[in-house]
Amino acid sequence: MIMLMGSQHDYDLLTGNTPADRQPWTVEEIRKMHEFLADWNNALVESGEFVEARGLSAPAHARRVSTKDGVPVVTDGPYPETQEVLAGYTIVECESLDRATEIAARLANTPHPEDNQPDDAPWYVDIRPIAEHRPEPEV
């Protein structure tokens, strides 16, 4: 699974809901990003490595569910302590983790306005193999 990470800040830049010190993405920047992602996805479909992909809504639409004394506790997002969240994912079926890394490296080059990224928030993606079965306990 290739996971694209983001933040509420990133979603805000895409929708024009930005603080005074940041400029929202332009229509051209958004078009370039969508075009790049479509090309990236289409290449995976053509190679036969594409399984599934989904984008997720903004963290403001998230809910965290926990329990306290056995009673469900629901907290609406975004969560101030959370700097990054899963923004979307793509599942690929490929020959190796190295191949998945090559695919993810291309996604890490998604066009985005560099000047709108905070210094401590680099643009990146994560890769994790999907467990196909329950882990067996070691004896």
Side-chain angles (χ1 to χ4, degrees), residues 25-83:
W25 286 39
T26 66
V27 171
E28 180 63 16
E29 289 167 333
I30 293 170
R31 185 195 63 73
K32 283 181 183 178
M33 180 190 70
H34 284 284
E35 186 176 277
F36 177 90
L37 292 172
D39 290 346
W40 183 81
N41 258 355
N42 290 337
L44 291 172
V45 169
E46 289 173 15
S47 72
E49 296 170 305
F50 179 85
V51 175
E52 177 185 353
R54 300 285 175 148
L56 302 175
S57 64
H61 302 288
R63 283 188 172 171
R64 180 170 291 157
V65 181
S66 60
T67 60
K68 183 170 182 169
D69 300 324
V71 177
V73 176
V74 178
T75 306
D76 289 330
Y79 316 110
E81 70 279 5
T82 303
Q83 295 301 310

